[in-house]
Amino acid sequence: MGKIFRFSLYLTAIISIIAIYIFYPDYKGELFPLFMDFTTFLIFLPAYFYFFCGILPLLCIVLFKNKILKIIFIIFILTFSFINSLNYLAFYSIQLRLLFDLITILPTLIFWATFINFKELRKISTSETNN
């Protein structure tokens, strides 16, 4: 991986961990639950999905050499994080929670599309320089 890409990956992982910690939804004693839902939807859930559905599977890909083990861990992490994310919005029906989760997982899908394209471009550029 390029140094800039690796640095940005580390930086965004740290920022997402901080955002998860700061904006963790706690509805106990909350005077403005709608504001809590707003910050959960706009800040917490995208950071949560980026870390748990973006960074942790990438870490599994890097750490494990066995493909079966990689797939099992990635499927477990993705399933657990998506099911767990349904608990963070307390005042809505399950259909609306699913809609909110699908909307907030979009930045992670953009991350994966960027990562895969970056990896493919890197393969192409190294193969062109070798020829």
Side-chain angles (χ1 to χ4, degrees):
M1 269 191 254
K3 290 181 182 181
I4 294 173
F5 186 73
R6 185 174 289 171
F7 175 74
S8 65
L9 189 67
Y10 292 146
L11 182 66
T12 54
I14 291 169
I15 291 170
S16 69
I17 290 170
I18 292 169
I20 290 170
Y21 179 74
I22 291 173
F23 293 103
Y24 187 82
D26 184 20
Y27 289 98
K28 295 175 185 159
E30 183 64 38
L31 294 175
F32 303 106
L34 185 60
F35 180 72
M36 178 66 68
D37 284 343
F38 188 69
T39 58
T40 300
F41 177 68
L42 289 180
I43 299 171
F44 175 77
L45 282 176
Y48 173 84
F49 281 128
Y50 175 75
F51 186 73
F52 286 104
C53 296
I55 298 297
L56 286 183
L58 184 61
L59 190 62
C60 287
I61 290 172
V62 170
L63 291 180
F64 300 116
K65 300 298 178 199
N66 188 353
K67 288 185 180 185
I68 303 289
L69 197 59
K70 284 181 192 180
I71 292 170
I72 290 172
F73 274 114
I74 289 172
I75 289 173
F76 175 75
I77 289 169
L78 295 177
T79 306
F80 177 75
S81 63
F82 193 79
I83 291 172
N84 192 33
S85 71
L86 295 174
N87 297 324
Y88 292 122
L89 293 171
F91 297 110
Y92 303 107
S93 66
I94 192 70
Q95 293 90 0
L96 203 52
R97 289 181 196 183
L98 284 171
L99 178 67
F100 285 161
D101 281 351
L102 291 175
I103 290 171
T104 56
I105 204 168
L106 285 177
T108 303
L109 296 176
I110 293 170
F111 162 75
W112 274 105
T114 305
F115 178 75
I116 291 170
N117 286 331
F118 181 77
K119 191 174 179 181
E120 291 297 321
L121 287 174
R122 189 146 172 95
K123 282 182 186 178
I124 291 170
S125 68
T126 56
S127 68
E128 286 177 358
T129 57
N130 291 338
N131 290 333

